[in-house]
Amino acid sequence: MSDAGGVPSPVQEMLDELHTRVRDVDAGEVATYIPALGKADPALFGLALATQDGHVYTAGDADTGFTIQSVSKPFVYALALHDRGLNAVLRRVGVEPTGEGFDALRLEAGTGRPLNPMVNAGAVVTASLVDGDDHGQRFQRIIDGLSAFAGRELRLDHEVLASEERTGDHNRALGYLLRNAGALRGDVNEAVGVYFRQCSIVVTARDLAVMAVTLAAGGVNPVTGRRVVGADTCEHVLAVMATSGTYDFAGEWLLRTGLPAKSGVSGGLVAALPSQLGIGVYSPPLDRRGTSVRAIAACQELSARFGLHLMRPAQRTTPVLHRLLRGDAVSSHRTRRHLEREALRRDGRAILACELQGDLGFTGADTAIRAITDELDGVRWLVLDLHRVNRMEPVAVNLLDGFAARLRGRGVATVVAADAGSGPLAAAEASFASLDEALEHCEDALVAAGRSARLDPDAAVPPEEQDILRDLPAEMLDALTPLLEERRLARGQVLFDPGAAPDEGAASDETLYFVVSGGLVAQVMAGDPPEPVRIASMGPGTAVTKLVLGDDRIAYRVVADEPTVARVLTAAAVKRLEDTHPQIVEALHWAMARHLAARLRQADARNQAMIGSDARRGD
Amino acid sequence: MSDAGGVPSPVQEMLDELHTRVRDVDAGEVATYIPALGKADPALFGLALATQDGHVYTAGDADTGFTIQSVSKPFVYALALHDRGLNAVLRRVGVEPTGEGFDALRLEAGTGRPLNPMVNAGAVVTASLVDGDDHGQRFQRIIDGLSAFAGRELRLDHEVLASEERTGDHNRALGYLLRNAGALRGDVNEAVGVYFRQCSIVVTARDLAVMAVTLAAGGVNPVTGRRVVGADTCEHVLAVMATSGTYDFAGEWLLRTGLPAKSGVSGGLVAALPSQLGIGVYSPPLDRRGTSVRAIAACQELSARFGLHLMRPAQRTTPVLHRLLRGDAVSSHRTRRHLEREALRRDGRAILACELQGDLGFTGADTAIRAITDELDGVRWLVLDLHRVNRMEPVAVNLLDGFAARLRGRGVATVVAADAGSGPLAAAEASFASLDEALEHCEDALVAAGRSARLDPDAAVPPEEQDILRDLPAEMLDALTPLLEERRLARGQVLFDPGAAPDEGAASDETLYFVVSGGLVAQVMAGDPPEPVRIASMGPGTAVTKLVLGDDRIAYRVVADEPTVARVLTAAAVKRLEDTHPQIVEALHWAMARHLAARLRQADARNQAMIGSDARRGD
């Protein structure tokens, strides 16, 4: 037997393997200029990877605490952008790479701004920009905000803080230079003090991965489900991390890993891939530019093995247009009478259904529109089926809506089939939950457009025009007609529900319902709690049967879709017919077999047309 | 009537509108330090957008020629990386942003390398690294390479070249400083001369868009279909453009547009979004940092309106697991005899089919594996249906294969359903073109695993165990059996092909084929040229009928899938039965109706199970 439940995760195994390999990298030096950091064990190595759905993989010392140091900078920058807005923050702190180290003293000529928020000078100013009336409130905002990014309450390491404060003269000097240049306002010691405390917050590699994935996910922490900052802010922070996150190593870092990142002097590092994942690493030994040696090795390997480079060109991509279906070859699940079927076969090419798939951003929508435009000759109804679309950007809604509006101006109606919640198109004529209902809508419109008196959907269909009966000899029809009992159904009234109370005995198997006017729908119950889902519909001139056969495993409910008149052949009437006109019963059996065969063929026609259009995907 | 053919493109209209708005931006100065550039008309404004499938949208002066200047740098860097490899080029030219202008003189302390290939010093060294024995050959390599990026033969502007040469002392000084630092070898004037000529190549905004999309597409020019450089090279060039493409404006550029880009002094600019598109702009007036003012405005608007920011978090994404289907609720299109159906109903939960969808990179594969792992209890056959997967990265193949290998170790077989060309999984037991065939394979295995003597697929099924006949009274069966003619079919032999030569007359309608051993498949012809596509299969104990009814629009061919024995009820035999045993003919009609109804129900069961599992997507 299988023991599939406990199957190990291939990602976990790959991460473990990578951790084992990188653990042996034995280079770099633990930073000592903050004496408390110098005590860190150089062998420590924690690795964590958090996914956008909130799963966290870890390897090694991923739950070992350390002070966050400079890795705090992008998150505090995010809080400042959130609290002040991009332009207000840009006026105080630039976003240009310095080409220099973390302690660069250079300020922008003319404005006195620090060059970016990832160097210490920029970080001190950034910390002064978060909400708060005084430095105490601002630090509270910072530790609360970082806790929200991490999804747990973070705390200070007072020993490291005391050490930072004792040895922080370089940062104090920066503070005075900033105030001298007009870049920093208020008390320098208080401003630098907030920055010291920010750097002394204790995190783990696991925390950093969650913080990073919160940026990657557009500002909602996927573990807690809580929004921390807005999506625009994340875009901006990640862009600054890409150009300046690892100081004078930022260019080569981005070239080699393709991941926006931020390193810190205690050996921590965050990296993020937008819409995908966050990585947190902790390993104290640093290279000469201040980045953790094992973090560089781990991220380069992760990027290469997992294909995480931001600039990587996509692999094979399927066409955005999954299938094109035309109304003369594919029809809805509506069972239609003979005359309607003929009209659809003749004119159905005026209905074009396009199944789109994949990501619909600018490129997807643009490609789809160009491909559809090439197929529009003679089309009057365009169905856009969005069920296979995985992602729908606002620009795609915008472009498709513009397309629908332009089509409307040329006499082409657009009908959308999409899950609830997919952005509806304002210029569409109608929107349905399924492709089937959308097709049915277009077919109805096509039949109505070419309608003759005999096809008037509101007129009653007499027995001799019923599909099942129309080949019956006149004398049989005359004998049968008086046995048909009229039944009037209100909209929503259930005609039968074999699933609810199974009929017994052969007699009831043979009950037939002829639709005279109105229409019926067949439904199955699905979902939890179960709700009726429409799977087919039947118009005037068609029949539905209540056959209960051998290995029943499924049953329709049949419900009136609108005020409906049906004629019913009851079990008792069939009994009578068997005595008086056995040949009519045989003819009915035969006709039902034909009818079922035709329905099967209809289902298979869909198959074939779909297979056919699948085949053209090779283009 | 509709006039859909000439519907205008919404993208074209948005681009025209944007061009009109940005044209009115009236700031910046035309560069004059190369006198010939100073003559450019400041009103010129060309905009082009090239898509990854090779379509080019243009607005304004997109076909006006101008000298490429610094926009050549990323493309020559790409050629150098291609000719020398990343590490060899990195030893000579760094990739760190300078935080300074295009003419920065700073070289890296210690190595003497220029900081990056986007400043002039780096570009002069880069140009010396492309293939060629002398400066003439190197320039030929450059103009040929840039022509390949553009998809047409590019030429020099000799007037601008002469002007560059006359006024190029700053670049000559750079050349000597480079040679002094050991960064440049050989004759300085020749090296700088190649660079002057590289800058004097004439391009248009349209050319730049195609050059940019060639980088975005991973090195294959989508207009010509020709590979220019490798995908890794494109990754690296785009990363350097992201950090250094617009000199001391690179940080804010990436923050605001999210597009790797390169600007030039003549007013040209390229921008690229990986796997999506390339943008080319030409407008001579520059801002104080040397970037075209209208190019900045146009790219910021394009990025915002079309959602092009590299760091943008995704909008709504559908789950990677589209549907889960279980073998007790959903079956293949194989028509199976009674006993097999019972076995599947009882044990079918051991078959789990998972339809994956969307992009399968690291995140998609990881999410899918975790979701499937939660459902594996009691499963022995796992079907992975990849038909809805739009993109399959190597890492996803890697992870899924690792998963399949781990499952195999626990007694679970993995079966893949995928289009040809989707990477097959080495650890999978089998691979099929359709979900249906994959399901059939697993069902066969399940039936075989629980096989009794009566279910032996190689044993002949006698008439009394044929599904259609098993409820017939013994005396009818005794009368019918002698009329059945045995027919032996070789693999591939056609049993009937109603599409090819329609039978006439009612008699032939009633011919029935009972499968005694072996198996049949139903095929339709699809594609261009038409090829048989399998749509259903029939095993021993089942029957296939050749009903030719009213509005035939589709027809199966029925073909033996393996050496097969069938028993045939011919039209002549039916004729005889009608005279001697009319009640047998009626019973057969009835049984056929039941059989068709059961097939319909089978089709609907698929529908219902699929609807049911669709509903669970809301989780």
Side-chain angles (χ1 to χ4, degrees):
Chain A
M1 269 311 292
S2 80
D3 175 27
V7 63
S9 152
V11 172
Q12 182 63 53
E13 293 195 0
M14 282 168 77
L15 205 67
D16 287 340
E17 195 189 295
L18 192 150
H19 181 272
T20 303
R21 218 169 33 246
V22 173
R23 195 179 50 196
D24 294 339
V25 172
D26 189 23
E29 298 293 332
V30 176
T32 53
Y33 72 92
I34 301 171
L37 295 183
K39 297 189 218 159
D41 177 358
L44 285 171
F45 177 30
L47 187 53
L49 189 156
T51 65
Q52 195 162 1
D53 62 349
H55 190 85
V56 186
Y57 294 96
T58 62
D61 309 306
D63 292 308
T64 301
F66 56 94
T67 55
I68 188 169
Q69 302 297 337
S70 290
V71 180
S72 61
K73 292 168 181 171
F75 302 100
V76 176
Y77 186 56
L79 299 175
L81 291 176
H82 181 270
D83 292 350
R84 296 280 179 118
L86 175 63
N87 289 326
V89 173
L90 274 184
R91 276 192 296 275
R92 303 288 305 281
V93 184
V95 288
E96 295 310 323
T98 59
E100 298 177 23
F102 65 93
D103 52 359
L105 290 173
R106 188 152 62 111
L107 302 177
E108 190 179 58
T111 65
R113 288 188 305 177
L115 269 81
N116 70 62
M118 302 292 130
V119 292
N120 290 3
V124 169
V125 178
T126 301
S128 78
L129 296 176
V130 303
D131 273 350
D133 293 335
D134 57 33
H135 64 282
Q137 286 183 4
R138 281 194 289 275
F139 177 68
Q140 197 59 47
R141 165 71 178 136
I142 287 171
I143 195 165
D144 288 348
L146 265 56
S147 297
F149 271 111
R152 70 176 184 102
E153 202 178 319
L154 301 176
R155 303 187 169 280
L156 276 179
D157 180 326
H158 289 282
E159 187 196 350
V160 172
L161 175 58
S163 184
E164 301 234 18
E165 284 172 340
R166 269 192 307 273
T167 58
D169 286 342
H170 189 272
N171 285 328
R172 287 190 189 94
L174 269 181
Y176 284 105
L177 287 171
L178 287 167
R179 195 168 70 180
N180 177 59
L184 187 67
R185 296 157 196 175
D187 187 280
V188 168
N189 276 314
E190 285 186 352
V192 176
V194 169
Y195 176 68
F196 287 150
R197 275 186 284 171
Q198 161 189 329
C199 288
S200 303
I201 292 171
V202 177
V203 292
T204 64
R206 179 193 296 272
D207 290 329
L208 293 184
V210 175
M211 294 171 82
V213 80
T214 300
L215 286 178
V220 174
N221 180 319
V223 176
T224 64
R226 215 184 120 193
R227 177 166 289 286
V228 184
V229 292
D232 282 358
T233 289
C234 295
E235 243 178 59
H236 299 145
V237 172
L238 290 168
V240 176
M241 288 164 69
T243 51
S244 309
T246 49
Y247 315 115
D248 48 345
F249 184 52
E252 189 170 341
W253 172 274
L254 192 70
L255 177 135
R256 290 198 186 270
T257 68
L259 296 167
K262 185 74 201 77
S263 58
V265 72
S266 54
L269 182 138
V270 290
L273 185 61
S275 302
Q276 303 248 18
L277 49 82
I279 295 169
V281 194
Y282 172 54
S283 169
L286 310 182
D287 70 6
R288 62 184 173 79
R289 289 180 288 204
T291 300
S292 162
V293 173
R294 290 198 192 97
I296 295 172
C299 286
Q300 284 189 15
E301 278 230 34
L302 277 172
S303 175
R305 292 209 56 186
F306 290 169
L308 307 181
H309 201 293
L310 197 58
M311 306 296 176
R312 82 188 183 289
Q315 303 289 315
R316 175 186 79 91
T317 302
T318 54
V320 67
L321 205 54
H322 175 60
R323 271 198 295 225
L324 282 178
L325 309 170
R326 292 192 190 268
D328 57 342
V330 171
S331 53
S332 70
H333 279 121
R334 184 165 186 84
T335 307
R336 293 180 183 276
R337 56 191 290 220
H338 181 61
L339 293 169
E340 293 185 6
R341 291 202 302 275
E342 275 184 358
L344 290 177
R345 196 177 317 161
R346 194 180 53 238
D347 303 325
R349 286 189 71 82
I351 301 172
L352 176 68
C354 300
E355 287 187 276
L356 307 186
Q357 69 180 357
D359 289 356
L360 277 196
F362 168 76
T363 301
D366 168 56
T367 311
I369 288 169
R370 281 188 279 117
I372 295 168
T373 300
D374 288 343
E375 303 283 344
L376 283 177
D377 200 32
V379 168
R380 292 186 56 194
W381 291 272
L382 172 67
V383 179
L384 294 178
D385 184 351
L386 305 179
H387 286 97
R388 282 175 172 255
V389 172
N390 301 304
R391 193 187 288 178
M392 183 92 166
E393 309 272 347
V395 65
V397 176
N398 209 340
L399 289 177
L400 289 175
D401 204 33
F403 186 52
R406 286 167 182 84
L407 287 176
R408 195 174 50 194
R410 283 153 195 261
V412 182
T414 300
V415 174
V416 174
D419 293 330
S422 306
L425 304 182
E429 180 183 89
S431 212
F432 297 93
S434 67
L435 173 59
D436 194 54
E437 286 163 279
L439 280 173
E440 185 177 324
H441 170 89
C442 298
E443 290 167 3
D444 285 347
L446 187 149
V447 168
R451 156 191 324 179
S452 67
R454 290 176 71 202
L455 260 178
D456 183 348
D458 300 326
V461 175
E464 67 273 16
E465 289 187 14
Q466 291 284 339
D467 274 12
I468 285 192
L469 305 179
R470 68 194 168 89
D471 292 334
L472 233 52
E475 66 279 12
M476 286 196 193
L477 202 62
D478 290 343
L480 179 65
T481 305
L483 301 178
L484 298 176
E485 292 177 12
E486 190 175 278
R487 194 171 300 177
R488 293 183 169 271
L489 302 163
R491 179 182 151 77
Q493 194 175 336
V494 176
L495 187 62
F496 62 82
D497 190 349
D503 286 311
E504 286 182 10
S508 66
D509 294 353
E510 295 167 342
T511 317
L512 260 175
Y513 304 82
F514 297 96
V515 184
V516 176
S517 65
L520 304 173
V521 290
Q523 301 172 329
V524 293
M525 301 302 284
D528 183 23
E531 294 199 5
V533 175
R534 168 196 178 113
I535 58 168
S537 71
M538 284 75 67
T542 69
V544 54
T545 175
K546 197 177 161 182
L547 289 175
V548 178
L549 292 174
D551 54 341
D552 241 351
R553 286 162 57 192
I554 188 160
Y556 305 143
R557 303 165 81 215
V558 173
V559 179
D561 202 24
E562 53 192 301
T564 294
V565 180
R567 285 215 179 84
V568 188
L569 187 64
T570 63
V574 173
K575 201 88 198 154
R576 278 202 299 281
L577 270 180
E578 271 175 355
D579 295 335
T580 59
H581 298 83
Q583 76 283 21
I584 294 187
V585 177
E586 194 188 340
L588 276 177
H589 277 156
W590 182 230
M592 280 160 52
R594 285 175 49 147
H595 184 67
L596 289 166
R599 274 186 61 193
L600 255 187
R601 242 199 308 281
Q602 188 181 22
D604 289 329
R606 291 170 67 90
N607 259 344
Q608 189 184 33
M610 290 183 169
I611 291 163
S613 57
D614 262 354
R616 61 180 289 296
R617 285 168 54 190
D619 294 358
Chain B
M1 267 313 290
S2 78
D3 176 25
V7 63
S9 151
V11 172
Q12 184 63 54
E13 293 194 0
M14 282 169 78
L15 204 67
D16 288 339
E17 195 189 294
L18 192 150
H19 182 270
T20 304
R21 218 169 34 247
V22 173
R23 195 179 49 199
D24 295 339
V25 172
D26 189 22
E29 298 293 334
V30 175
T32 53
Y33 73 91
I34 301 171
L37 295 182
K39 297 188 217 159
D41 177 359
L44 284 171
F45 178 31
L47 188 53
L49 188 156
T51 65
Q52 194 162 1
D53 60 350
H55 190 84
V56 186
Y57 295 98
T58 62
D61 309 306
D63 293 309
T64 302
F66 56 95
T67 54
I68 188 169
Q69 302 297 338
S70 289
V71 179
S72 60
K73 291 169 181 170
F75 302 100
V76 177
Y77 185 55
L79 298 175
L81 290 176
H82 180 271
D83 292 350
R84 296 280 181 121
L86 175 63
N87 289 326
V89 174
L90 274 184
R91 276 193 296 274
R92 304 288 304 279
V93 184
V95 287
E96 295 309 322
T98 59
E100 299 177 24
F102 64 92
D103 51 358
L105 290 174
R106 188 152 62 110
L107 302 177
E108 191 180 59
T111 65
R113 289 189 304 178
L115 269 80
N116 70 62
M118 301 292 129
V119 294
N120 290 5
V124 169
V125 177
T126 302
S128 78
L129 297 176
V130 303
D131 272 350
D133 292 336
D134 57 32
H135 64 283
Q137 286 183 4
R138 280 194 289 275
F139 177 69
Q140 197 58 46
R141 165 72 179 137
I142 288 173
I143 195 164
D144 289 347
L146 266 56
S147 297
F149 272 110
R152 71 177 183 100
E153 204 178 317
L154 301 176
R155 302 187 170 282
L156 275 180
D157 181 326
H158 289 281
E159 186 195 349
V160 172
L161 175 58
S163 185
E164 301 232 21
E165 284 172 341
R166 270 192 307 276
T167 59
D169 286 341
H170 189 274
N171 284 329
R172 287 190 189 95
L174 269 181
Y176 284 105
L177 285 170
L178 286 167
R179 195 169 70 179
N180 177 58
L184 187 68
R185 297 156 194 175
D187 187 280
V188 167
N189 276 314
E190 286 185 350
V192 175
V194 170
Y195 176 69
F196 287 148
R197 276 186 281 170
Q198 162 188 330
C199 288
S200 302
I201 293 171
V202 177
V203 292
T204 65
R206 179 194 296 273
D207 290 329
L208 293 185
V210 174
M211 294 170 82
V213 82
T214 299
L215 285 179
V220 174
N221 181 321
V223 175
T224 63
R226 213 184 122 193
R227 176 166 292 283
V228 185
V229 291
D232 282 358
T233 289
C234 295
E235 246 180 57
H236 298 146
V237 172
L238 290 168
V240 175
M241 288 165 70
T243 51
S244 308
T246 51
Y247 314 116
D248 48 344
F249 183 53
E252 188 169 343
W253 172 274
L254 192 69
L255 178 136
R256 289 198 185 271
T257 67
L259 296 168
K262 184 75 202 77
S263 58
V265 73
S266 53
L269 182 139
V270 290
L273 185 61
S275 302
Q276 303 247 17
L277 48 82
I279 296 169
V281 195
Y282 172 53
S283 169
L286 308 182
D287 70 6
R288 63 183 173 79
R289 288 181 288 204
T291 301
S292 163
V293 172
R294 291 198 191 98
I296 294 173
C299 287
Q300 284 188 15
E301 278 230 34
L302 275 172
S303 175
R305 292 208 57 188
F306 289 169
L308 307 181
H309 201 295
L310 196 59
M311 306 295 176
R312 82 189 183 288
Q315 305 287 316
R316 174 186 81 89
T317 302
T318 54
V320 67
L321 204 54
H322 175 58
R323 270 196 297 225
L324 281 178
L325 309 170
R326 289 191 191 268
D328 57 342
V330 171
S331 53
S332 70
H333 278 121
R334 184 166 186 85
T335 306
R336 292 180 184 278
R337 56 191 292 219
H338 180 63
L339 293 169
E340 293 184 6
R341 291 202 302 277
E342 274 184 1
L344 290 177
R345 196 178 316 161
R346 192 180 55 238
D347 303 325
R349 287 189 70 82
I351 300 173
L352 176 68
C354 300
E355 286 187 276
L356 307 186
Q357 68 180 358
D359 289 355
L360 279 195
F362 168 76
T363 301
D366 168 55
T367 312
I369 288 170
R370 281 189 280 117
I372 294 169
T373 300
D374 289 344
E375 303 283 345
L376 283 179
D377 200 31
V379 168
R380 292 187 57 193
W381 290 272
L382 172 67
V383 179
L384 294 178
D385 184 351
L386 305 179
H387 287 95
R388 283 175 172 254
V389 171
N390 301 302
R391 192 186 290 177
M392 184 93 166
E393 308 273 349
V395 65
V397 176
N398 208 338
L399 289 177
L400 289 175
D401 204 33
F403 186 52
R406 285 165 183 84
L407 286 176
R408 194 173 51 192
R410 282 153 195 263
V412 182
T414 301
V415 174
V416 174
D419 294 330
S422 307
L425 304 183
E429 178 183 273
S431 212
F432 296 94
S434 67
L435 174 58
D436 194 54
E437 286 163 279
L439 280 173
E440 185 178 324
H441 171 88
C442 297
E443 290 167 3
D444 285 347
L446 187 149
V447 167
R451 154 190 329 179
S452 66
R454 289 175 71 201
L455 262 177
D456 182 349
D458 300 325
V461 177
E464 67 274 17
E465 287 186 15
Q466 292 283 340
D467 275 12
I468 286 192
L469 305 179
R470 68 195 168 88
D471 292 334
L472 233 54
E475 67 277 12
M476 288 195 192
L477 202 63
D478 289 345
L480 179 65
T481 305
L483 301 177
L484 299 175
E485 292 176 12
E486 190 175 275
R487 193 171 302 175
R488 293 184 170 271
L489 302 162
R491 179 181 152 78
Q493 193 174 337
V494 176
L495 187 61
F496 63 82
D497 189 350
D503 285 311
E504 285 179 11
S508 66
D509 294 355
E510 295 167 342
T511 317
L512 261 174
Y513 303 83
F514 297 94
V515 184
V516 176
S517 65
L520 303 173
V521 290
Q523 301 173 330
V524 294
M525 301 303 284
D528 182 22
E531 295 200 3
V533 175
R534 166 196 179 110
I535 60 168
S537 70
M538 284 76 66
T542 69
V544 54
T545 175
K546 197 177 162 184
L547 289 175
V548 177
L549 293 173
D551 55 343
D552 243 348
R553 285 162 57 193
I554 187 159
Y556 306 143
R557 304 166 78 216
V558 174
V559 179
D561 203 23
E562 53 193 302
T564 294
V565 179
R567 285 215 178 85
V568 188
L569 188 63
T570 63
V574 174
K575 202 90 197 152
R576 279 203 298 281
L577 270 181
E578 270 174 358
D579 295 335
T580 57
H581 297 82
Q583 75 284 19
I584 294 186
V585 176
E586 195 188 339
L588 276 177
H589 277 156
W590 182 230
M592 279 161 55
R594 285 174 49 147
H595 184 67
L596 288 166
R599 275 188 59 193
L600 255 188
R601 241 200 309 280
Q602 189 182 22
D604 290 328
R606 290 170 68 89
N607 260 343
Q608 187 183 34
M610 290 184 170
I611 291 162
S613 57
D614 262 354
R616 69 181 281 298
R617 284 170 53 191
D619 295 358

